[in-house]
Amino acid sequence: MNELIEQIESTVSDLMRYDLESFAVKAQELVDKMIAVFPVIISIYSDPRMEDVREDALYWPGQLERIIKALESPDRFETLDVLYNETYPNLVELRGILTKRGILNV
């Protein structure tokens, strides 16, 4: 999860600097990483310690779709919004919850 959060930061940084060549490479790496990590994130919600937030598991598949669409879009503000204003804080929050509940060791 930490790698995914760092990958978002790095990808967004390249986009903000308008380094579109590096952004394109990192965006593809980000999608690949999310495709690998999101199923694990979703499965974590089946842990008994996550019972009170189990419905939040439904967010991640839809968010992955939004991310892919945003990355394919020419609207870079949409890309920034989906990656940095939605996905990034939700991953950071989830990491905190998982750490606090002893599911994830940071």
Side-chain angles (χ1 to χ4, degrees):
M1 187 169 300
N2 289 333
E3 287 180 29
L4 188 55
I5 290 168
E6 290 169 8
Q7 183 76 34
I8 291 173
E9 290 173 336
S10 179
T11 304
V12 167
S13 176
D14 283 351
L15 183 58
M16 296 288 289
R17 288 184 288 111
Y18 209 68
D19 184 348
L20 297 183
E21 189 173 311
S22 181
F23 168 75
V25 171
K26 288 183 181 174
Q28 184 58 55
E29 292 171 353
L30 179 62
V31 169
D32 293 344
K33 198 169 285 187
M34 287 180 174
I35 288 171
V37 173
F38 276 23
V40 175
I41 289 173
I42 293 165
S43 71
I44 288 172
Y45 285 93
S46 64
D47 186 297
R49 295 170 283 185
M50 297 293 286
E51 188 173 344
D52 62 317
V53 292
R54 187 155 291 143
E55 289 183 14
D56 291 353
L58 302 174
Y59 166 81
W60 297 105
Q63 191 62 13
L64 180 58
E65 184 178 338
R66 283 182 46 79
I67 291 164
I68 292 170
K69 285 182 180 178
L71 290 170
E72 292 173 345
S73 169
D75 184 348
R76 295 300 171 211
F77 290 110
E78 177 185 7
T79 303
L80 285 171
D81 186 47
V82 170
L83 286 178
Y84 204 70
N85 293 328
E86 293 176 19
T87 310
Y88 178 84
N90 287 329
L91 282 170
V92 170
E93 179 182 18
L94 179 59
R95 179 180 62 188
I97 291 168
L98 296 175
T99 302
K100 185 177 179 179
R101 295 179 185 200
I103 299 170
L104 179 69
N105 297 319
V106 182

